Amino acid sequence: MGAMSVRNQSSEPSKDRGTSHALDPVENHRAGFACFVGRPNAGKSTLTNALVGQKVAITANQPQTTRHTVRGIVHRPDAQLILVDTPGLHKPRTLLGERLNDIVRTTWAEVDVIGFCLPANEKLGPGDRFIAKELASIKKTPKIAIITKTDLVDSKTLAEQLIAIDQLGRELGFEWAEIVPVSAVADKQVGLLADLLVPLLPEGPALYPEGDLTDEPEQVMIAELIREAALEGVRDELPHSIAVVVEEMLPREDRPADKPLLDIHAFVYIERPSQKGIIIGPKGKRLKDVGIKSRKQIEALLGTPVFLDLHVKVAKDWQRDPRQLRKLGF
């Protein structure tokens, strides 16, 4: 396999890695930005969540669910790694698609390291080559190949994937800084991945306060949690057709200090009246389930009891309408 560098971790538990660095935290501290790229559904958001240790990026079984650049922040004694989770790059068909791709390229040019996520259980395809070609044109930024979902394959399949990825880089005239197999779900080599990303960051002080896990405004994260719950089980409808806007968040008046309640009013936007019934479900059951599921996640995020008021609205063909796109935050 030539000079290919593949990292496999020893049997140490991944959570303990990185805390034993005997570095002076001020002198040799590193801080910087990394972004994960890859085909839709390559495991980018799940990996972000595993590294940060708390749910910050939305994950769903359909492709194209991440819309905003969600930053997950990994705090370590020797470094602060800020993860920028871009939408999946794809061949655009709508104005929204073009805007998403512009966001991706701008992000790639600004980060310190790029992690290219490729699932272990799928052979390299045209989508991967399309992204790798784009990566090859960004000369200065170091690139790590991350083989995700390794818990789904045997060692022979994994070895074949490693060789294919190494060759892909060579074909396009660049060398991967590292090739790392990981499983975010089984927490395998996640700590090692952080160890390999850190040396590629510039030296400098932390850029965010210790407690921060993301710099997304809370309203955006709440909207994403509702949207994720609304996407579940609507396999037949394009996930792009759903947008969520949190209209207001207000503490309930006349509540005792030890029993606060936060009222959240949100709209789920769809493109066509025919989609309304799918989201609401028979006798409103689906929308109720969406409310229950997302409310639990929102309460965990905010640490306070929440009353969630959800309404479904039609915004006709919003993906193709610049005015509506702006209104919905794109």
Side-chain angles (χ1 to χ4, degrees):
M1 274 167 26
M4 171 179 151
S5 150
V6 178
R7 294 302 189 112
N8 269 301
Q9 189 176 316
S10 68
S11 56
E12 306 171 51
S14 62
K15 296 246 162 80
D16 297 339
R17 291 194 59 102
T19 49
S20 59
H21 290 264
L23 291 174
D24 177 351
V26 181
E27 218 170 285
N28 298 313
H29 190 276
R30 291 178 181 273
F33 295 83
C35 81
F36 294 146
V37 304
R39 272 186 294 129
N41 213 18
K44 303 181 292 291
S45 295
T46 311
L47 190 55
T48 299
N49 293 336
L51 278 161
V52 176
Q54 185 165 332
K55 188 165 188 170
V56 291
I58 82 159
T59 53
N61 294 331
Q62 298 95 330
Q64 286 314 116
T65 49
T66 308
R67 288 243 177 90
H68 299 278
T69 306
V70 177
R71 293 178 174 84
I73 305 165
V74 183
H75 300 275
R76 294 166 40 132
D78 60 329
Q80 189 177 69
L81 173 65
I82 299 140
L83 301 165
V84 186
D85 192 27
T86 56
L89 192 79
H90 62 299
K91 292 188 170 133
R93 286 191 300 274
T94 61
L95 182 62
L96 175 66
E98 280 169 36
R99 287 209 186 160
L100 290 176
N101 279 1
D102 289 343
I103 294 169
V104 175
R105 290 192 189 89
T106 311
T107 304
W108 291 6
E110 292 168 354
V111 296
D112 301 298
V113 55
I114 298 171
F116 183 20
C117 295
L118 300 120
N121 62 332
E122 294 172 36
K123 281 199 161 35
L124 296 189
D128 299 313
R129 286 174 202 285
F130 174 68
I131 293 167
K133 238 182 223 163
E134 294 273 339
L135 283 179
S137 67
I138 296 168
K139 301 282 184 229
K140 288 182 183 154
T141 317
K143 295 167 266 291
I144 288 185
I146 305 165
I147 302 174
T148 58
K149 310 185 184 186
T150 56
D151 53 301
L152 301 178
V153 298
D154 57 25
S155 53
K156 182 175 174 286
T157 310
L158 181 57
E160 285 166 3
Q161 190 76 323
L162 289 165
I163 294 164
I165 288 164
D166 183 45
Q167 283 171 345
L168 179 64
R170 289 171 199 274
E171 276 169 37
L172 296 168
F174 70 89
E175 200 172 323
W176 302 107
E178 304 279 358
I179 299 178
V180 201
V182 302
S183 167
V185 173
D187 193 24
K188 274 200 180 135
Q189 305 225 128
V190 174
L192 174 70
L193 174 61
D195 288 352
L196 297 175
L197 289 166
V198 164
L200 300 169
L201 305 176
E203 285 196 6
L207 301 166
Y208 286 88
E210 177 95 27
D212 287 10
L213 292 171
T214 173
D215 76 347
E216 278 289 353
E218 281 175 347
Q219 271 176 260
V220 174
M221 290 182 72
I222 289 164
E224 290 285 81
L225 288 170
I226 296 167
R227 188 164 169 267
E228 177 180 23
L231 281 174
E232 269 185 31
V234 208
R235 305 270 180 272
D236 48 351
E237 282 295 327
L238 270 183
H240 275 320
S241 304
I242 299 174
V244 175
V245 174
V246 173
E247 290 287 323
E248 60 177 11
M249 291 165 53
L250 297 166
R252 179 80 59 94
E253 286 179 13
D254 308 327
R255 296 281 293 193
D258 58 340
K259 286 192 177 167
L261 183 68
L262 186 67
D263 285 318
I264 298 177
H265 300 277
F267 287 105
V268 178
Y269 286 94
I270 45 176
E271 288 194 298
R272 293 187 295 282
S274 60
Q275 296 168 333
K276 210 166 176 177
I278 297 167
I279 291 290
I280 294 171
K283 294 186 178 166
K285 188 180 180 312
R286 231 184 136 262
L287 191 63
K288 195 178 171 191
D289 290 347
V290 169
I292 292 166
K293 184 161 195 239
S294 53
R295 195 190 78 235
K296 278 184 189 154
Q297 303 239 13
I298 294 163
E299 289 180 338
L301 174 76
L302 302 177
T304 182
V306 161
F307 173 80
L308 181 60
D309 179 38
L310 280 185
H311 292 276
V312 180
K313 272 191 170 182
V314 178
K316 202 167 177 310
D317 292 330
W318 63 264
Q319 291 184 63
R320 289 177 172 76
D321 178 347
R323 200 175 54 82
Q324 303 242 42
L325 279 171
R326 273 198 302 279
K327 185 184 160 201
L328 297 173
F330 301 111

